[in-house]
Amino acid sequence: GWRPPRGLRTRTGGLRAERPAESSKQVSVPKAGKEETLLSAAYRVKEAGKDFTYFIVVLVGIGVTGGLFYVIFKELFSSSSPSKIYGDALDKCRSHPEIIGVFGESIKGYGEATRRGRRQFVSHIEYIKDGLKHMRLKFYIEGSETGKQGTVHVEVKENPEKGRFEFRYIFVDVDTYPRRTIVIEDNR
């Protein structure tokens, strides 16, 4: 018979290469031909295209995130946001002696009810009059006195010198008996 060449031995029907006993390992690399150069250039263009696409996706993500942070900052911390004006008006209501006398000590405010029953939306409208921004808000208050509720109406006007809104008026309609209107601030 036939004998496999030196370095190859059969085991359970298959061929397997054995390592030669030589101590030096030399590897010869063939020179790249035109096909391989074209292939590697096409591969590099493809990879550059992928990298550019990922770069654009990251830039868009950063832009969207920055926009969200801007809107959140403007809504929560700006002196001209409806939330900030609502908070300032509610503080004025809580510290006014006549309001405390009618509604009680612990006065809480809330906005319009949504479909889910949450009352966080403060109704507001913005408009421009005489070249200045104005905003009107409407929200509701109730206190520790049982059954006492009121509707608060607020109007603010932009002060161009200070760059912020100033209160024009705040008045509270008492919605329960005896009905009346309490004026907190009137700077018309």
Side-chain angles (χ1 to χ4, degrees), residues 116-169:
R116 292 184 170 176
R118 295 182 181 161
R119 300 183 297 187
Q120 297 173 340
F121 177 73
V122 175
S123 175
H124 70 281
I125 184 170
E126 297 180 39
Y127 61 97
I128 296 178
K129 180 179 174 187
D130 300 328
L132 296 175
K133 291 182 185 176
H134 289 68
M135 187 183 310
R136 287 185 182 161
L137 286 87
K138 181 175 92 172
F139 62 93
Y140 306 96
I141 59 172
E142 60 185 36
S144 57
E145 292 289 323
T146 352
K148 294 285 186 177
Q149 295 177 335
T151 304
V152 181
H153 302 274
V154 179
E155 183 172 328
V156 293
K157 175 174 89 172
E158 178 186 37
N159 183 339
E161 295 169 2
K162 295 181 181 178
R164 53 181 294 174
F165 283 102
E166 293 179 344
F167 288 100
R168 288 192 65 206
Y169 62 78

Side-chain angles (χ1 to χ4, degrees), residues 65-122:
T65 304
L68 287 173
F69 280 131
Y70 172 75
V71 168
I72 289 171
F73 178 79
K74 184 179 175 197
E75 187 64 30
L76 295 179
F77 301 112
S78 171
S79 64
S80 63
S81 75
S83 300
K84 177 72 172 151
I85 294 168
Y86 159 75
D88 292 346
L90 184 59
D91 288 343
K92 287 183 182 265
C93 290
R94 287 177 175 156
S95 63
H96 194 270
E98 195 174 350
I99 300 288
I100 294 171
V102 171
F103 293 99
E105 281 294 323
S106 62
I107 296 172
K108 64 180 184 176
Y110 53 91
E112 302 286 335
T114 62
R115 281 191 269 165
R116 292 184 170 176
R118 295 182 181 161
R119 300 183 297 187
Q120 297 173 340
F121 177 73
V122 175

